[in-house]
Amino acid sequence: MKIGNCIKLETYGESHAPFIGMRMEGFPEGEKVDIDKLQAFMERRAPGRDAMSTPRFEADKPEFKSGIADGVTTGSPIEAIILNTNTRSGDYEKTVPRPGHADFPNYVKTGRIPAGGGANSGRLTAAMCIAGGLCLQALERRGISVSARIETVGDIMSAKEEGDSVGGTICATVTGVPVGLGGAMFDGIDGALAQALFGIPGLRAFEIGNGFACASLKGSENNDAFAIRDGKVVTLTNRHGGVLGGMTTGMPIELRVAMKPTPSIYKEQKSVDLKTMTETTLVVRGRHDPCIARRALPVVEALVAFTVFDAVVAEEGNVAYGPLSDPKNVVIDGNVAKLYPELAKNAIYVIPSGEENKTIATVAALWSAFAKAGLGRKDCVTAIGGGVTCDLTGFAAATFMRGIDWINCPTTLLAMVDASYGGKTACDLPEGKNLAGAFHPPRKVCIDTRFLKTLPLKILADGKAEMIKHEVIGGLEHEHDVSGIPTAEELRRNLGVKIGIVRRDPNEKTGERIKLNAGHTVAHAIEKASSYSISHGEAVAIGCVEEARLAERMGLAAEGWSDELAARFRCAGLPTELPDGMTFDSLRPLMKGDKKREGNTIVFALPCGWGDVRPTTITLG
């Protein structure tokens, strides 16, 4: 039972097990946690607090096992449990399913009816509230608030006196939301909200904005007109509920859910005995809420907060700018280990420097090092080094025990702006570069500019090639000096181009992410033709210029564009011409080994101008 994209939430346990729990991976480091405030939030959901809830009393006090130290999140997975201290399993039938519950499909699927509903029990919503309560606090610091209220509900006390139950509807509102959270189609934040909220037992319907009511309106009645207020674009109405095309508009997110009447009622109901396969009647025993909608309020807030914060973290990129603190299970580049021995003292593996070591043999050595260090599914490794170290460690982490977490601390400019973010991990094969790999985004990227001060100028220039490529893709300002060491703010702005693209197309499904391959089809061929004596950055600079020239020849770019681009690369101390003996035509056979090849055709990401990179299919012959 796991949801989330950047932040992964898993709940576990059963209603009548010793405990229930939650594990949340990817929660940002350094977030302050107010435990008293969290406990007050948990109390709103806890049972046995008034006459309109179940008499079963539980403290619902989280016991944190990891992820929080001295009231601050550490970046490690946050895990907490809640003890079940007031269970009465004898109240439940073993072979007669309760109408309205998951007893029947559970029996067919597992051969038993779990006491109290087991993993389907509303008891597990307490674990959801731990995660959601932490997200609520993190959102509040970002100026985003989440609230829920009962919109409609039946006569609870009358139903209780009759041994019956009632349902209700809940409205939730999120304010302070920035524009652009979420994505198109299946990446929409409305879909993510629906998925999370349908994890609440008893929730039967979801709508956002005016929901089902829009079906009876005309377009002119349903559309929200745009206007300018205080220098901001707003809509004069909010029928769309703050989401258009799966993305937030900056207006409040407004949604509504319907909770069914509690299925456990004390009236006699018809059922069957699954053991004897005979019809029978059933009177449910135990302690139950006459209305679950009231106690679902904080659960709705919790899951809405989790979903919104997950989208916020995706937007922020989970990139930290500053020194890496107390790294664990370190894998470090050999050259970096010599320069920074304090980071290497507890390393579990030192990767020999150089592209020639980016092999499956090194990945196998990393697997062995992980096993010898006793790493398990809940552990995390830290990569400290350039692109080779990042790629190899990420790939090894992706495939060890079917995937463990990793933190990426790039030490070269090239790795900071290229390999650090995006989740592409790989090793080279004799047949080509990066042919074996996996998408496995790091838990966190740490950009520490101190490493740039010890880089040779040639290695520094390699990273500038990728920065200029991002200038082209994002249409960034490109008049500033690129001869020195970039600042943290310049890195933040430049890496933002890649973060935005990866967020919109994390697994190269929409075609957006292919723009990041600008210049790379030719560049990878140059690297292989030179037996990697030409560095990746140098190859990217030449490749971008060669592909810009191709765009000119095809009439996709204005005449002189390639010269303008070449001048920008030269300002960073990078080559822009193919080496003697190499031509575009001579590189064609090597381009056929590119990952984006289909038969004799290949998709180039042609740089056609500032802010204009076009995926273009070309036959190589």
Side-chain angles (χ1 to χ4, degrees):
M1 295 181 287
K2 184 180 289 188
I3 58 169
N5 293 309
C6 290
I7 306 175
K8 305 286 187 181
L9 171 62
E10 177 183 11
T11 60
Y12 55 85
E14 294 189 1
S15 173
H16 286 225
F19 58 83
I20 58 172
M22 55 74 64
R23 175 181 168 86
M24 187 161 53
E25 303 171 4
F27 199 89
E29 179 183 357
E31 295 286 342
K32 294 181 180 179
V33 177
D34 186 331
I35 295 295
D36 292 337
K37 190 173 185 177
L38 176 63
Q39 187 59 47
F41 179 69
M42 299 293 298
E43 290 287 328
R44 291 175 54 202
R45 192 224 72 95
R49 296 310 192 263
D50 59 42
M52 287 191 286
S53 70
T54 171
R56 173 179 174 176
F57 184 89
E58 295 280 5
D60 277 10
K61 185 174 182 178
E63 295 182 16
F64 286 96
K65 302 298 184 181
S66 65
I68 297 175
D70 300 321
V72 178
T73 58
T74 64
S76 298
I78 300 173
E79 188 157 8
I81 64 169
I82 297 175
L83 299 178
N84 290 326
T85 59
N86 190 3
T87 61
R88 292 199 327 217
S89 299
D91 288 343
Y92 294 88
E93 298 288 339
K94 304 296 190 226
T95 60
V96 179
R98 296 167 297 169
H101 281 279
D103 293 351
F104 173 61
N106 261 325
Y107 187 89
V108 173
K109 192 176 183 71
T110 67
R112 73 185 184 103
I113 295 176
N120 296 100
S121 171
R123 177 79 183 129
L124 271 78
T125 61
M128 300 173 191
C129 283
I130 302 174
L134 296 174
C135 292
L136 281 166
Q137 293 185 26
L139 287 174
E140 186 178 352
R141 285 188 288 274
R142 289 161 173 80
I144 301 173
S145 66
V146 181
S147 62
R149 62 180 177 82
I150 294 287
E151 183 181 53
T152 63
V153 70
D155 189 333
I156 300 174
M157 294 308 295
S158 293
K160 182 179 179 180
E161 291 171 3
E162 297 170 6
D164 215 328
S165 63
V166 295
T169 57
I170 298 171
C171 291
T173 303
V174 188
T175 59
V177 187
V179 179
L181 296 183
M185 304 299 177
F186 301 120
D187 293 325
I189 193 168
D190 42 1
L193 286 165
Q195 181 191 16
L197 289 167
F198 273 112
I200 301 174
L203 191 144
R204 302 304 295 165
F206 165 91
E207 65 178 11
I208 196 159
N210 59 0
F212 284 98
C214 72
S216 60
L217 299 176
K218 296 178 180 177
S220 57
E221 298 170 321
N222 188 63
N223 291 343
D224 298 300
F226 287 102
I228 305 293
R229 295 292 183 270
D230 299 322
K232 292 174 58 177
V233 176
V234 299
T235 57
L236 297 179
T237 50
N238 193 25
R239 301 182 186 100
H240 67 288
V243 179
L244 289 172
M247 295 170 285
T248 55
T249 64
M251 298 297 288
I253 298 175
E254 296 180 343
L255 61 90
R256 181 181 294 103
V257 297
M259 300 298 300
K260 70 181 183 182
T262 313
S264 291
I265 59 176
Y266 300 111
K267 290 189 170 185
E268 186 177 272
Q269 300 176 82
K270 291 182 178 180
S271 187
V272 296
D273 189 317
L274 297 172
K275 186 176 181 179
T276 62
M277 291 302 290
T278 58
E279 294 184 359
T280 185
T281 58
L282 171 72
V283 175
V284 175
R285 293 174 293 171
R287 299 158 294 174
H288 310 288
D289 290 272
C291 177
I292 55 177
R294 292 176 62 250
R295 287 179 52 220
L297 275 173
V299 188
V300 169
E301 290 179 8
L303 291 176
V304 169
F306 172 83
T307 305
V308 173
F309 189 53
D310 184 31
V312 168
V313 169
E315 188 75 16
E316 293 175 347
N318 213 11
V319 179
Y321 293 84
L324 179 66
S325 60
D326 192 26
K328 300 287 195 309
N329 302 318
V330 169
V331 175
I332 192 167
D333 171 87
N335 286 339
V336 177
K338 295 174 185 176
L339 290 168
Y340 302 91
E342 72 279 7
L343 296 175
K345 63 182 179 181
N346 295 320
I348 60 175
Y349 193 79
V350 177
I351 292 183
S353 300
E355 183 78 28
E356 65 273 14
N357 295 299
K358 193 177 175 183
T359 64
I360 194 66
T362 307
V363 175
L366 283 167
W367 290 329
S368 180
F370 294 171
K372 289 177 181 177
L375 300 188
R377 290 290 300 275
K378 296 181 180 181
D379 288 309
C380 177
V381 294
T382 303
I384 304 177
V388 171
T389 300
C390 298
D391 270 7
L392 289 173
T393 306
F395 183 36
T399 45
F400 183 73
M401 289 193 170
R402 296 185 176 88
I404 63 173
D405 280 355
W406 69 297
I407 293 172
N408 194 353
C409 185
T411 58
T412 66
L413 180 58
L414 178 61
M416 288 179 185
V417 298
D418 181 33
S420 67
Y421 186 85
K424 278 188 175 182
T425 65
C427 70
D428 298 339
L429 299 180
E431 292 76 13
K433 186 178 173 70
N434 295 331
L435 290 185
F439 286 103
H440 189 50
R443 177 197 293 174
K444 183 179 72 170
V445 176
C446 179
I447 304 294
D448 187 349
T449 56
R450 67 172 161 159
F451 293 117
L452 301 181
K453 298 174 183 177
T454 55
L455 286 182
L457 293 178
K458 186 176 187 299
I459 303 299
L460 194 63
D462 276 349
K464 293 176 183 178
E466 288 288 348
M467 291 187 74
I468 293 170
K469 182 198 77 174
H470 287 161
E471 289 176 359
V472 175
I473 296 171
L476 301 182
E477 187 274 319
H478 49 274
E479 301 296 332
H480 62 282
D481 182 23
V482 287
S483 61
I485 296 175
T487 65
E489 183 53 40
E490 288 172 338
L491 290 173
R492 187 192 302 271
R493 185 166 55 249
N494 196 273
L495 184 54
V497 173
K498 181 165 188 173
I499 289 173
I501 287 176
V502 170
R503 181 170 52 83
R504 293 189 292 273
D505 186 14
N507 296 311
E508 292 189 341
K509 299 297 186 184
T510 70
E512 178 77 4
R513 187 161 175 164
I514 199 172
K515 294 178 181 179
L516 294 171
N517 290 315
H520 278 56
T521 299
V522 173
H524 287 162
I526 292 171
E527 288 179 274
K528 188 159 180 61
S530 70
S531 298
Y532 299 101
S533 63
I534 295 176
S535 69
H536 180 68
E538 291 172 334
V540 167
I542 299 169
C544 281
V545 173
E546 280 296 313
E547 292 186 17
R549 289 170 179 157
L550 176 60
E552 287 185 29
R553 293 195 296 272
M554 295 179 67
L556 300 176
E559 186 177 347
W561 155 242
S562 60
D563 293 335
E564 182 181 352
L565 183 56
R568 183 64 173 163
F569 281 113
R570 285 194 294 270
C571 287
L574 290 156
T576 58
E577 300 296 331
L578 288 168
D580 290 342
M582 269 192 216
T583 65
F584 184 88
D585 286 338
S586 74
L587 294 173
R588 284 176 182 266
L590 294 176
M591 292 183 210
K592 289 183 179 180
D594 192 280
K595 300 187 297 297
K596 301 175 292 301
R597 176 182 60 83
E598 293 184 7
N600 281 331
T601 66
I602 190 167
V603 180
F604 283 74
L606 295 181
C608 300
W610 300 110
D612 184 6
V613 173
R614 305 182 195 179
T616 306
T617 301
I618 296 174
T619 300
L620 292 175

